[in-house]
Amino acid sequence: MNKKRYLSILLMFLLLMSVLTGCGGQTAPEAGGETGGETPAVNPEEEVLTIRKTASLQSTDWEATTNTFDMQIMWVQVFESLYTIDEAAGGYQNQLAKEVAISEDGLTYTVTLVDASFQNGDPLKASDVVFSYKRAMENSRFNYVTSMIKSVEAQDDKTVVFTLEYPYSAISHTFWSIKISSEREVTELGDAFGTKPHTAATGPYIITEYDVASGVKLTANENYWKGAPNIKNVEYIVVSDDSAAVIAFENNEIEYLADAPLSEWESLKAAAGENHSLTKGNNIRFMAINYMSPTNNNILGNLKVREAIFYAINKDNINAAASSGYGAPAYEYMPHEYVATSPSVEDGGFKVFDYDPAKAKEMLKEGGFTDAQIAEGIDVGTLMTYGAATAEKAKAAQVIQANLAEVGLKAEIYVAEAAQVTPKLYAQDYDMCIFGDSGNYDFNNIRQQVHSESTGMYVVKYADDNSPLDWKRLEELVQMGVSTADTQERLGYYTELWSMVMDSATILPLYHNPVGIVWSSKLDPGGLSPTYYHIYNFKWVE
């Protein structure tokens, strides 16, 4: 072989080796151990789907879960309801309800149940549905979705009859919100229900381990009425810090990362390859002001002070800090593209508070404050929110604090876990707060924030002698909004309602947070849902 031909063959060999080993000094992924070979197939019986949780699970009782991260587990993976929410498929869908017949007057709903069993092996019966609804109806937190129910009765083992006090066009949200529990097991567990694993649900996943500090483990319900899940083992790992969560994903310690930290989105995209999604979420982050707060001689009871606070807030800066610019400034409680009955800012039917520092100072003067007091700084109390200290709501709070300082208002910040903060908010034990809501498909869900029956849910108590608005009219509009199924009529009622709230300067929409999701190359998450994902739809890539 001549030298020229030898060099040619050697060059081809080296080029081939560079292709096999990758470029830029990278090496091919390990496969089959030190001896090489094909990548072993995923064994679904042994593989564990790991998902991040930002804080500990509050309870294994679905009624005691109040934040979205807890509800993603208890309301979707473990418990089920007559209807489900599948955002990937467009909203509410039948679940434990096989058929629903509605009387001509809209007052009677006859529900036929699917053939299903609880995780404890007991068959699902109409009596379990009646038990679950009556239990929820005794919980004031669920008044906003049950107060229209006059009675719920079992006609036979497979048929439940709901009789309403009045026609209620938003019944779909009620059928989604109330989860069905095993009457036998909940009764037997008594006060212990919610404190440990149980089998009182019908869902595709069973709680096997529950540790308040570290996390939750689930295993597939092999006798699930729709068929055994593909994913057999699930572990929720508590990682409160965003940076730590990103590192955990990059190290393959987390397989599915929902609500991914947007400040690290580019890094996460790079780590995830094609396995990422970023969509505008069906959510809202808003600021609420407790007009009844006694702080600084009830300074927040002054409408002009509340208006000054709202005019001082720069939503673009909040979006940049909290959502890394991927979100959208909010003016509506619910994004109009998700909720047809939601008032839209484009229609101009309600007041908005655009960023205007000069206007903010003008409001303070109209509220009785002098230039000297503004220059010295006026104490408006504490801005409270929940989540990690480095997470998006905490970042939004820091921007708001700086915005208020620019117009002469002083505010402290308090951030803690949801389990610590939300009870204070529901009890109106706060000055100002940043709160979140998500997964709404009907504007009637605003009821939980504005109606007197929503005790334990609202953060601003409107039904009060010192209310900043005509709260009785507010509740009339809530009632009128569900008295008809006509979308335009409902939109008219809700526009008036939202206009009243905005005029009172008690709730200010801040931003709609985009939902970033990244997942392992070993995982196929099916149709992606921005809020209530269904692990039942997931499977391992073969």
Side-chain angles (χ1 to χ4, degrees):
M1 182 182 297
N2 62 40
K3 185 176 181 181
K4 184 175 181 181
R5 186 181 179 193
Y6 173 78
L7 291 173
S8 177
I9 292 173
L10 179 60
L11 180 59
M12 290 176 65
F13 175 78
L14 292 173
L15 287 172
L16 178 60
M17 289 302 294
S18 70
V19 171
L20 292 175
T21 59
C23 58
Q26 296 177 344
T27 58
E30 291 184 6
E34 294 181 356
T35 59
E38 295 183 0
T39 302
V42 172
N43 184 345
E45 300 297 329
E46 299 178 358
E47 198 73 28
V48 178
L49 173 63
T50 50
I51 302 176
R52 178 206 186 184
K53 202 174 181 313
T54 58
S56 57
L57 179 68
Q58 293 171 295
S59 172
T60 60
D61 177 0
W62 70 271
E63 285 195 16
T65 53
T66 58
N67 66 73
T68 301
F69 291 105
D70 285 358
M71 292 165 67
Q72 286 170 339
I73 302 173
M74 301 308 301
W75 286 41
V76 182
Q77 323 309 335
V78 178
F79 283 93
E80 294 182 310
S81 41
L82 296 178
Y83 283 178
T84 185
I85 281 184
D86 189 341
E87 294 157 295
Y92 302 106
Q93 296 179 332
N94 285 41
Q95 192 170 58
L96 295 178
K98 182 178 181 180
E99 296 177 354
V100 179
I102 308 172
S103 63
E104 289 188 9
D105 61 6
L107 296 176
T108 304
Y109 286 72
T110 303
V111 179
T112 304
L113 301 176
V114 299
D115 292 326
S117 295
F118 289 102
Q119 296 164 353
N120 58 28
D122 294 348
L124 168 67
K125 294 182 179 180
S127 57
D128 295 300
V129 177
V130 172
F131 166 79
S132 301
Y133 269 79
K134 287 186 175 180
R135 181 171 179 260
M137 290 163 71
E138 292 172 358
N139 185 337
S140 61
R141 177 191 166 198
F142 295 99
N143 282 345
Y144 78 105
V145 288
T146 62
S147 62
M148 77 297 302
I149 299 175
K150 183 177 182 179
S151 65
V152 52
E153 300 174 338
Q155 190 175 84
D156 55 46
D157 280 351
K158 287 295 180 184
T159 311
V160 185
V161 179
F162 292 85
T163 304
L164 307 187
E165 296 279 3
Y166 46 83
Y168 187 74
S169 61
I171 195 70
S172 294
H173 194 72
T174 296
F175 286 169
W176 142 252
S177 298
I178 307 304
K179 308 302 168 184
I180 309 305
S181 308
S182 163
E183 178 179 12
R184 178 186 66 80
E185 186 165 342
V186 172
T187 302
E188 289 177 356
L189 287 173
D191 293 339
F193 182 58
T195 65
K196 59 184 180 179
H198 58 74
T199 53
T202 62
Y205 287 93
I206 301 170
I207 303 168
T208 55
E209 293 184 30
Y210 169 50
D211 187 290
V212 174
S214 60
V216 184
K217 291 184 180 180
L218 311 177
T219 189
N221 177 6
E222 295 297 331
N223 297 314
Y224 182 50
W225 62 276
K226 291 174 68 175
N230 290 298
I231 303 293
K232 302 302 181 184
N233 306 291
V234 182
E235 182 174 359
Y236 283 89
I237 303 171
V238 175
V239 184
S240 59
D241 183 73
D242 284 346
S243 297
V246 173
I247 293 171
F249 178 78
E250 292 174 340
N251 291 338
N252 300 314
E253 296 166 5
I254 293 177
E255 303 283 355
Y256 183 82
L257 182 58
D259 284 314
L262 297 174
S263 60
E264 303 285 349
W265 182 243
E266 294 304 318
S267 297
L268 285 169
K269 279 174 58 179
E274 296 181 352
N275 302 321
H276 68 270
S277 172
L278 183 65
T279 60
K280 180 178 180 179
N282 180 12
N283 59 43
I284 181 69
R285 304 293 190 268
F286 65 88
M287 180 180 184
I289 297 179
N290 179 14
Y291 68 90
M292 296 189 293
S293 166
T295 293
N296 197 359
N297 297 314
N298 185 223
I299 189 172
L300 297 177
N302 186 327
L303 172 63
K304 294 302 178 181
V305 172
R306 298 197 302 271
E307 289 182 333
I309 291 171
F310 284 0
Y311 279 121
I313 293 174
N314 188 326
K315 296 180 183 179
D316 288 329
N317 285 357
I318 292 174
N319 178 41
S323 301
S324 296
Y326 293 111
Y331 297 92
E332 308 151 354
Y333 190 83
M334 301 173 196
H336 189 71
E337 59 265 46
Y338 280 100
V339 185
T341 52
S342 174
S344 172
V345 67
E346 294 178 0
D347 296 334
F350 52 86
K351 184 175 184 176
V352 297
F353 292 88
D354 287 322
Y355 175 57
D356 191 336
K359 185 81 168 177
K361 291 182 178 180
E362 180 184 329
M363 293 299 100
L364 289 175
K365 292 178 182 179
E366 289 185 16
F369 295 92
T370 65
D371 286 328
Q373 288 174 309
I374 295 171
E376 181 181 351
I378 302 165
D379 180 19
V380 289
T382 299
L383 177 57
M384 184 180 295
T385 193
Y386 52 93
T390 57
E392 42 105 2
K393 285 191 282 292
K395 292 177 181 178
Q398 292 167 2
V399 173
I400 291 174
Q401 182 186 49
N403 288 160
L404 296 182
E406 289 174 2
V407 300
L409 297 173
K410 295 188 295 186
E412 298 296 324
I413 293 176
Y414 177 80
V415 182
E417 285 193 7
Q420 295 175 265
V421 172
T422 52
K424 290 180 175 291
L425 304 185
Y426 296 150
Q428 285 70 59
D429 182 17
Y430 74 98
D431 301 317
M432 301 169 288
C433 72
I434 298 176
F435 198 75
D437 194 5
S438 62
N440 294 311
Y441 278 93
D442 193 300
F443 198 78
N444 178 66
N445 294 1
I446 191 70
R447 178 189 180 102
Q448 64 187 289
Q449 286 299 334
V450 302
H451 203 286
S452 60
E453 292 179 340
S454 300
T455 305
M457 287 295 289
Y458 54 66
V459 295
V460 179
K461 183 181 179 181
Y462 291 111
D464 186 82
D465 291 340
N466 297 315
S467 181
L469 47 71
D470 182 353
W471 65 268
K472 292 183 178 179
R473 176 58 179 171
L474 194 74
E475 297 193 357
E476 278 182 4
L477 290 166
V478 170
Q479 176 68 29
M480 294 163 71
V482 292
S483 65
T484 175
D486 184 273
T487 299
Q488 288 306 309
E489 283 187 53
R490 300 186 74 202
L491 183 58
Y493 297 137
Y494 293 143
T495 299
E496 181 182 346
L497 181 157
W498 189 237
S499 179
M500 291 176 64
V501 172
M502 294 305 297
D503 285 346
S504 72
T506 48
I507 290 179
L508 180 69
L510 297 174
Y511 59 103
H512 299 298
N513 206 41
V515 178
I517 305 172
V518 291
W519 60 94
S520 164
S521 59
K522 297 188 298 184
L523 185 68
D524 176 3
L528 292 171
S529 296
T531 307
Y532 294 114
Y533 55 86
H534 294 251
I535 299 175
Y536 184 77
N537 295 332
F538 293 13
K539 62 182 180 181
W540 296 115
V541 176
E542 297 180 358

